[in-house]
Amino acid sequence: TVDESELLTVPDGWKEPAFTREDNPKGLLEESSFATLFPKYREAYLKECWPLVQKALNEHYVNATLDLIEGSMTVTTTKKTFDPYAIIRARDLIKLLARSVPFEQAVRILQDDIACDIIKIGSLVRKRDTFIKRRGRLLGPKGSTLKALELLTNCYIMVQGNTVSALGPFSGLKEVRKVVLDTMKNIHPIYNIKTLMIKRELAKDPELRTQSWERFLPKFKRKNLKKRKEPKKKTTKKEYTPFPPPQPESQVDKELASGEYFLKERQKKRKRVEEIKAKQADAIKKRQEERNKAFIPPKEKPAVKTKKASTEKKIDVEAIKEKVKNAKKKKLGALPVEEVKLKMAADEKKKKKK
């Protein structure tokens, strides 16, 4: 009896045998070809690396031609081609080269366990500014997010214009597509990267192979923290009254009230000139005050008066005089009086003992 889980899992280190000429000795019946266009800025690079492309494809018996006038690359099978899938790999190779993938990475597509995926992201977001912001989010600061994604999925990822080119194993490509599409749907790639890190650790444990990983994976809830935008000027509704508002005074009514209506045209003109002059005088006065502010000295802090040393304690002059006299009598290096007395007493005791 064999456990079903063992039959479903692929043993570690197992590889599918390579497709050789013995598997298809008669070759292909028809000749097939693929062509793709490339942008003008890729012309210099492709011209430089084209001999290497031809050499790599000749190993699989596939011809490659570069047309610089038309701006296209073409791959065709030959009579010696025995692998029917070689032309598909060659097609993917020229597609990747056209999408700014370097030759060193693109040539890996010719291996059996490597595949590629070109994800179109240009039409997923309406606004151009939003698209650029989300595409930058996929790259991360100094390309750190993209590098983390490459390490977790074992894929090479190239973000170019409106497409994302990915190159690597099938399992990794599936994860890359999910992360890219989620990023374009405004889900930050850090959440998917965190999930991938946990999955990577769980895959190391053979006991968890048959179990569900849902309990280990984080569940991120979407939070809508955006508040409703409030207008700067809020208008308050007035209380409803059945009576209409009083009619505003017209210019004639105002002139009648002030008596200006009965003045002559010359007097009215003079009054207007006087008002203008009064306004000008006020403006000049204000301007002058502003200028004079620079010349007004700042207020100085009041000087703190230092307290004089208190002379309440009386100095004993006589005591100081005595000390000076005693000091004069002493010789330099002489012992004090008390020590001299003790020394003399000790010398007398020694003499008595003798």
Side-chain angles (χ1 to χ4, degrees):
T1 57
V2 183
D3 191 11
E4 286 183 8
S5 62
E6 288 181 13
L7 294 170
L8 292 168
T9 54
V10 178
D12 293 331
W14 182 86
K15 279 187 178 181
E16 197 174 336
F19 193 87
T20 57
R21 188 173 282 282
E22 292 172 6
D23 296 317
N24 187 16
K26 292 180 181 180
L28 304 175
L29 188 66
E30 290 285 335
E31 187 184 284
S32 54
S33 64
F34 288 101
T36 185
L37 298 170
F38 60 86
K40 184 76 177 172
Y41 60 84
R42 291 290 289 168
E43 189 179 311
Y45 180 78
L46 291 170
K47 195 177 177 181
E48 191 182 334
C49 74
W50 196 250
L52 297 169
V53 175
Q54 285 179 322
K55 189 183 175 183
L57 291 173
N58 282 339
E59 290 175 10
H60 297 270
Y61 305 101
V62 177
N63 285 337
T65 53
L66 178 70
D67 190 352
L68 295 171
I69 298 160
E70 195 183 315
S72 66
M73 293 179 280
T74 313
V75 285
T76 53
T77 55
T78 59
K79 288 179 181 180
K80 289 184 179 180
T81 311
F82 61 88
D83 187 0
Y85 201 71
I87 190 67
I88 303 296
R89 290 210 182 97
R91 179 202 66 182
D92 290 340
L93 173 64
I94 59 172
K95 269 189 180 180
L96 290 168
L97 288 168
R99 295 306 315 153
S100 296
V101 176
F103 170 75
E104 292 79 12
Q105 293 291 340
V107 78
R108 287 170 59 211
I109 196 68
L110 300 172
Q111 297 172 19
D112 286 340
D113 56 341
I114 301 291
C116 76
D117 190 8
I118 294 167
I119 307 153
K120 291 177 182 178
I121 56 172
S123 59
L124 296 174
V125 185
R126 284 183 184 178
K127 290 182 181 178
R128 185 71 185 166
D129 295 342
T130 313
F131 167 72
I132 291 161
K133 199 181 281 182
R134 287 179 190 177
R135 187 180 63 182
R137 198 180 288 169
L138 184 65
L139 290 164
K142 295 179 183 178
S144 57
T145 308
L146 199 69
K147 190 71 183 172
L149 201 61
E150 283 180 352
L151 291 167
L152 289 166
T153 57
N154 296 322
C155 293
Y156 174 80
I157 305 160
M158 181 75 186
V159 181
Q160 173 75 10
N162 294 333
T163 58
V164 177
S165 307
L167 184 81
F170 295 97
S171 58
L173 291 174
K174 191 180 174 184
E175 295 292 346
V176 169
R177 179 170 271 274
K178 185 182 177 293
V179 173
V180 169
L181 294 175
D182 281 354
T183 306
M184 289 295 128
K185 288 175 186 172
N186 202 21
I187 297 165
H188 204 281
I190 197 72
Y191 299 126
N192 286 309
I193 285 167
K194 197 171 184 182
T195 308
L196 285 169
M197 285 169 77
I198 294 162
K199 280 182 180 178
R200 194 181 187 181
E201 292 298 316
L202 291 168
K204 292 176 184 176
D205 194 352
E207 291 178 6
L208 297 168
R209 225 173 234 179
T210 54
Q211 295 177 20
S212 176
W213 292 352
E214 285 294 319
R215 58 198 171 135
F216 302 110
L217 301 176
K219 290 173 185 176
F220 301 106
K221 289 180 181 179
R222 204 167 187 180
K223 291 179 181 179
N224 192 10
L225 300 171
K226 280 188 178 179
K227 291 181 180 178
R228 184 178 163 271
K229 286 183 179 179
E230 293 181 359
K232 285 184 179 179
K233 292 178 182 179
K234 291 181 181 180
T235 53
T236 52
K237 283 187 177 181
K238 293 176 182 178
E239 289 182 9
Y240 173 74
T241 52
F243 307 104
Q247 194 174 355
E249 285 186 346
S250 65
Q251 191 67 28
V252 177
D253 291 336
K254 287 175 183 176
E255 285 179 359
L256 284 166
S258 62
E260 195 181 335
Y261 184 79
F262 305 102
L263 293 171
K264 289 177 182 178
E265 192 64 38
R266 195 186 292 170
Q267 290 172 327
K268 284 180 184 179
K269 198 174 182 181
R270 193 188 297 160
K271 195 178 181 182
R272 278 191 225 113
V273 170
E274 283 173 1
E275 284 175 0
I276 290 162
K277 281 183 178 178
K279 280 182 183 178
Q280 284 176 349
D282 288 339
I284 289 162
K285 195 178 179 182
K286 282 179 183 177
R287 214 178 297 135
Q288 197 65 39
E289 283 174 3
E290 286 292 324
R291 285 175 185 170
N292 291 337
K293 275 182 185 177
F295 300 104
I296 296 165
K299 287 182 180 179
E300 291 182 4
K301 290 180 181 178
V304 180
K305 290 181 180 178
T306 51
K307 291 180 181 179
K308 290 180 181 179
S310 58
T311 54
E312 289 176 4
K313 290 180 181 179
K314 291 180 180 179
I315 299 161
D316 195 358
V317 180
E318 290 179 3
I320 292 164
K321 281 181 180 179
E322 282 180 11
K323 279 183 182 178
V324 171
K325 279 180 184 178
N326 293 331
K328 279 181 180 179
K329 286 176 184 177
K330 280 183 185 178
K331 291 179 181 178
L332 288 168
L335 293 167
V337 180
E338 290 176 1
E339 285 186 18
V340 170
K341 285 179 181 177
L342 288 166
K343 204 172 183 183
M344 285 172 74
D347 289 339
E348 284 176 3
K349 280 181 184 178
K350 282 180 182 177
K351 284 177 182 179
K352 284 177 183 179
K353 282 178 182 180
K354 284 178 181 178

